[in-house]
Amino acid sequence: MRGRAGIAVLATLTLTANTLMAVQGASSAVAETTPVDGASRPYEVTSKRAKEPFTVAPRRMVVPLTWSESAVEPASRAITYRNDTSKDQEIRLRVKLRDRSGNAAPAALATLSADSLTVPAGREAGAKLELRRHGVKPGAYRGTVQVTSATGKPLGSTALSIHLRAPVPAPAPPVGSVTASPDSITVDLASPGIPDLTRRHTITYRNTGPRPVTLRLAADLTGPGEEPTEAPAELLEVPDQVTVPRRGSAEVTLTFRGAGIPHGRYQGTLIATGTDGATKVTTPLAVDVGREKYNVAVNLIDRNGVAPTQPTWVYAWSVTDGGRWERRIENGTGVFELPPGVYDVTTAIATGEGETLINHRITVDDWDLDLVMDAREGEPVELSPQGVDVPGMIEAWYETPWYRFTAEGPEGSVFAVWRGPGEVAENVGFQVLGWGKRDATDGPGAAYILSRYFAGRIPSDTVWHPSPDELSVTRNHFRSVNLSRSGGLNLTGGYVDSLRMDVTFPQTVTTYIEPGLTYSRELGYGIAYENWAQIADYQAVAEQGERDDVWNGAVLTPGDFGVGAKPRRSSGGQLSVVAPITYVDSSGRTGSIDRTTNELTLAADGQTIATGTGQLYASLAPESKRYTLTWDRTANPEIAVFSTATKTEWSFESHHIDWEEQTLPLHLLRLAVPGLNDDNAAAPGSESRIPVKVQPVEGLPTPEITSMSVETSADDGGTWQAASSADEDGTWIATVTNPDAPGFVSLRITATDADGNTVAQTVVRAYKVGS
């Protein structure tokens, strides 16, 4: 499926809910618990999965800002949305932010340049996030920029962490002969695990005057909160006064204590006033008081009952306020220092070729904790269909809004542990993915992709073996249409990047897919580079039940004109036609073959007026004329067995219309021959009743066919014989009597519509005759 990340821990982490990331290159020098917010990381994060159909970048954004009292330009950050599907995507954007107390942040704090966007197929579009630095209370804000489709389907998000800090005020100019150094003081009382932390800072006062000056000292500090309040007196101890000698200096020690002080930022000034009445010096002060923290000792045990032999990442997510902490634990033991609150503590412990995913929900109150995370408690995680003898793989992950932990391995080697309430309301979940394959080189193949998701918990029952009647079961019949006789099938769906199978043609591969999953199938075959073909079925939604799908069923007809390449006549009289490089099989599935040639010829009044290879452009006369456009296609002879050459000829009238671009009626025919075997062969001497359908150009109505003629050839178009056709209840049926001898049947069908336009389509070697 994919290579494992190159780390010993064998655990996978992401910072968002939709894209897996692998932890790599962790430093052994990490010795303390490291808050994720704003701190440098001791490792690199690299993408593990293939690109999703719709992606958001960045997935996480930390923005430090300095608050301004006056109006300033907002800070701007760019967010990019990538659409890797084949259709334009309409999206809606919304910002949701809350402060530390859980209250909604002011709407003015963060605004988007647009609340909706159109992201073109295969391209990117972006929005600007404007962050206001004035008119909003300083503080820490967290939330997301959420992205949904026009119908409300979640597509992703960017996690936001905004730190709007009030600046330290500039000192007032000194009055008199005395100055102070430093000119401001910032104190950190936020060290973890030391609730009675004390810091001392020294201020030096210098006197340049001819007389000593006695300074009276007083501090004015206000604390955090909705309204500024006076800081607790215990926070700062200041001497009452100090005397600074003439042309000399004196030192004053300030003592800051964090014991029992509510956490937050305290700001103010130290004012030194001279008894001479002519001296005043102010020194700005800022004090950050940290939260009370307790030790949570984590002890890891693998399934063999011993400490893991490899370094193992453990993460703690605060359900209370969204904070995140991480530890790289060596020798099975490590310590988190956490403030009071409720946490999910998560890890994945490797034992041999398998892993055990463990999540404990704990409450940190007013004492230290010992937490044992024992892989032996893990319940087996299995997800494979009943009665399908296919070796399988399992991937299970537990996710929070900020990270995802994954356990992966062969079925039977993955286990999961959940310790906590039976149900939780927070946005966490447990996802299980099962997949497996059996190649189709020596007999019928099989593959499965199954998925289970549980919001808010790891379920007590983690073993599922659904019966086939609970699943979407498709028997894919891959018919023989090429000279190589072999190829490969790529199956993707859910979070499976690529499940590749070897196939020998003709062959059947049965797929078992979880109903509701979006999945894709891509069949490739050929000889070598530039001698290759493929046919695919992208972004199908699995529906419960059984069905049969025929691939490369005859007749293979030229592909449709794309929406962006419709044949047209411009308002200036310019005709443009781009020949599709694709082909379509009898099931309507689209494919392509390397080195297929396309020649176009346009004629009017019996005279050729333009030719082109692959595309044709011509200037048309303004008056009404009947034009004939011929498209000759030759398939790569080193690959193709069927539809080796096709010729499509249209006859239509066209004239100039002021200020109007016209789509030309170059409709195509679609043929599906019933009763063919897996070699696309009909029985000798049998009769084939072939429905003929008209595929209109995108944007034009399906024309009404008024007459149809059919001819067949058994010598690759050397000679032709008439066959019958009739309109049966709105469907035209061509009736062909197949030759008695083995060989190929070529078809030439001409259809005329009610407007007098015609399309004549010739297919050399449309299908085979044989046993």
Side-chain angles (χ1 to χ4, degrees):
M1 173 180 166
R2 49 184 167 271
R4 298 291 295 161
I7 58 171
V9 68
L10 291 178
T12 302
L13 162 73
T14 60
L15 297 177
T16 60
N18 292 330
T19 307
L20 290 178
M21 312 289 281
V23 180
Q24 297 192 348
S27 170
S28 61
V30 178
E32 294 184 354
T33 303
T34 305
V36 175
D37 298 330
S40 60
R41 291 186 171 279
Y43 55 83
E44 294 180 356
V45 180
T46 58
S47 175
K48 182 186 178 196
R49 295 190 174 277
K51 290 190 296 185
E52 297 288 340
F54 189 92
T55 53
V56 181
R59 303 305 302 269
R60 179 173 179 264
M61 187 183 294
V62 178
V63 187
L65 297 174
T66 300
W67 178 84
S68 174
E69 185 174 3
S70 59
V72 292
E73 287 294 322
S76 180
R77 297 291 188 274
I79 304 177
T80 302
Y81 302 99
R82 173 77 187 180
N83 176 15
D84 283 311
T85 69
S86 60
K87 295 183 180 180
D88 294 353
Q89 178 75 62
E90 300 287 336
I91 62 173
R92 303 288 184 266
L93 308 177
R94 182 185 180 190
V95 180
K96 296 185 70 175
L97 287 171
R98 294 187 179 276
D99 61 19
R100 286 192 181 274
S101 300
N103 300 315
L109 172 62
T111 57
L112 288 161
S113 59
D115 57 9
S116 63
L117 291 173
T118 298
V119 188
R123 300 184 66 182
E124 296 177 347
K128 292 287 187 181
L129 181 66
E130 304 289 343
L131 301 167
R132 189 176 179 185
R133 293 178 283 168
H134 68 280
V136 178
K137 187 183 77 171
Y141 300 87
R142 301 180 191 275
T144 55
V145 178
Q146 299 175 346
V147 190
T148 61
S149 68
T151 60
K153 176 184 177 182
L155 297 175
S157 64
T158 296
L160 296 179
S161 183
I162 300 171
H163 302 273
L164 185 59
R165 290 194 175 276
V168 175
V175 177
S177 61
V178 178
T179 59
S181 178
D183 59 4
S184 66
I185 294 177
T186 300
V187 183
D188 180 14
L189 296 177
S191 296
I194 311 178
D196 59 348
L197 181 67
T198 298
R199 301 276 192 201
R200 291 179 176 85
H201 287 262
T202 299
I203 294 182
T204 300
Y205 290 99
R206 291 181 172 82
N207 178 13
T208 60
R211 297 180 180 82
V213 177
T214 298
L215 302 175
R216 292 191 179 93
L217 304 176
D220 179 17
L221 285 173
T222 57
E226 294 295 331
E227 297 294 336
T229 57
E230 185 177 354
E234 298 81 5
L235 176 61
L236 175 58
E237 180 182 320
V238 183
D240 292 334
Q241 65 180 39
V242 63
T243 298
V244 188
R246 69 184 185 88
R247 296 186 176 89
S249 63
E251 291 185 346
V252 171
T253 298
L254 308 183
T255 302
F256 298 86
R257 293 187 174 90
I261 305 299
H263 71 272
R265 170 165 271 217
Y266 296 81
Q267 290 185 278
T269 55
L270 174 64
I271 303 172
T273 306
T275 56
D276 59 2
T279 302
K280 185 176 183 181
V281 183
T282 61
T283 303
L285 305 175
V287 185
D288 289 306
V289 179
R291 305 178 72 176
E292 182 180 7
K293 295 188 179 182
Y294 298 93
N295 291 337
V296 177
V298 177
N299 300 285
L300 306 181
I301 302 174
D302 70 13
R303 293 194 63 80
N304 293 326
V306 297
T309 59
Q310 302 165 338
T312 303
W313 281 97
V314 181
Y315 274 68
W317 171 61
S318 173
V319 179
T320 305
D321 64 9
R324 287 97 64 204
W325 288 261
E326 60 192 29
R327 276 301 307 261
R328 183 177 185 263
I329 291 180
E330 310 237 12
N331 302 317
T333 302
V335 177
F336 281 92
E337 294 165 332
L338 303 174
V342 178
Y343 295 86
D344 273 354
V345 183
T346 312
T347 191
I349 298 177
T351 307
E353 64 179 351
E355 294 175 292
T356 301
L357 178 68
I358 305 177
N359 188 85
H360 284 254
R361 177 154 291 196
I362 64 171
T363 299
V364 177
D365 199 348
D366 56 357
W367 55 81
D368 293 343
L369 295 177
D370 286 318
L371 178 61
V372 177
M373 305 185 80
D374 192 340
R376 294 172 299 178
E377 299 176 352
E379 297 292 335
V381 180
E382 298 180 9
L383 182 57
S384 59
Q386 296 177 18
V388 179
D389 183 20
V390 175
M393 294 288 291
I394 288 291
E395 184 172 11
W397 60 85
Y398 180 80
E399 64 183 6
T400 75
W402 302 108
Y403 63 79
R404 173 181 290 163
F405 253 98
T406 298
E408 181 182 86
E411 191 170 47
S413 72
V414 176
F415 302 84
V417 177
W418 164 265
R419 292 292 177 266
E423 296 284 347
V424 294
E426 291 78 18
N427 181 25
V428 296
F430 178 66
Q431 178 92 31
V432 180
L433 184 67
W435 71 94
K437 68 166 187 172
R438 181 176 64 244
D439 288 338
T441 52
D442 298 321
Y448 68 88
I449 298 177
L450 308 180
S451 180
R452 294 285 191 275
Y453 179 77
F454 299 88
R457 63 189 174 96
I458 294 177
S460 57
D461 184 5
T462 55
V463 175
W464 305 276
H465 296 294
S467 63
D469 59 11
E470 297 176 68
L471 305 175
S472 173
V473 181
T474 303
R475 289 174 291 273
N476 299 277
H477 303 279
F478 298 121
R479 289 188 176 176
S480 178
V481 294
N482 68 92
L483 298 176
S484 70
R485 309 293 293 182
S486 65
L489 172 67
N490 279 330
L491 180 66
T492 62
Y495 289 90
V496 174
D497 301 334
S498 180
L499 196 57
R500 189 186 186 282
M501 304 176 60
D502 294 328
V503 179
T504 299
F505 304 115
Q507 195 54 270
T508 298
V509 174
T510 303
T511 56
Y512 302 83
I513 309 294
E514 186 78 26
L517 281 186
T518 298
Y519 70 106
S520 298
R521 295 162 292 178
E522 184 177 85
L523 180 70
Y525 56 90
I527 301 169
Y529 177 70
E530 292 188 344
N531 274 303
W532 196 252
Q534 68 176 26
I535 187 168
D537 196 352
Y538 294 116
Q539 298 296 299
V541 178
E543 297 181 358
Q544 186 173 348
E546 295 187 13
R547 60 194 53 83
D548 288 87
D549 272 359
V550 174
W551 292 66
N552 279 325
V555 176
L556 307 182
T557 53
D560 300 336
F561 293 101
V563 175
K566 292 188 293 186
R568 65 187 185 275
R569 173 180 180 150
S570 71
S571 59
Q574 298 298 311
L575 177 144
S576 63
V577 178
V578 178
I581 62 173
T582 57
Y583 70 88
V584 174
D585 70 0
S586 63
S587 299
R589 195 172 286 107
T590 300
S592 63
I593 300 177
D594 289 342
R595 294 171 55 199
T596 294
T597 64
N598 294 280
E599 301 295 335
L600 296 165
T601 303
L602 181 68
D605 300 328
Q607 299 293 320
T608 297
I609 59 176
T611 61
T613 298
Q615 53 192 5
L616 181 146
Y617 302 97
S619 296
L620 304 183
E623 64 271 16
S624 179
K625 284 181 176 289
R626 176 162 290 275
Y627 296 92
T628 300
L629 178 65
T630 305
W631 174 16
D632 287 297
R633 163 175 284 194
T634 303
N636 184 343
E638 296 188 57
I639 298 177
V641 172
F642 297 95
S643 297
T644 54
T646 61
K647 180 177 182 179
T648 307
E649 187 174 87
W650 296 276
S651 174
F652 59 95
E653 287 192 3
S654 180
H655 65 276
H656 175 73
I657 300 176
D658 287 339
W659 312 109
E660 185 175 318
E661 180 177 278
Q662 304 166 52
T663 300
L664 301 178
L666 306 188
H667 308 307
L668 293 163
L669 301 180
R670 295 282 176 253
L671 311 174
V673 183
L676 302 182
N677 64 17
D678 282 345
D679 280 323
N680 274 320
S686 63
E687 182 180 85
S688 295
R689 288 171 49 80
I690 306 171
V692 180
K693 297 182 179 180
V694 178
Q695 178 67 44
V697 177
E698 179 77 23
L700 294 183
T702 301
E704 178 189 352
I705 300 302
T706 56
S707 64
M708 180 176 293
S709 65
V710 179
E711 297 172 277
T712 66
S713 173
D715 56 5
D716 294 346
T719 58
W720 295 92
Q721 294 80 37
S724 63
S725 63
D727 183 354
E728 299 183 8
D729 298 325
T731 299
W732 281 87
I733 303 295
T735 302
V736 175
T737 300
N738 295 306
D740 293 328
F744 291 90
V745 174
S746 300
L747 295 173
R748 183 160 64 194
I749 300 175
T750 302
T752 304
D753 67 17
D755 295 325
N757 302 313
T758 65
V759 53
Q761 196 159 294
T762 302
V763 182
V764 176
R765 298 198 172 191
Y767 61 95
K768 187 186 291 188
V769 172
S771 58

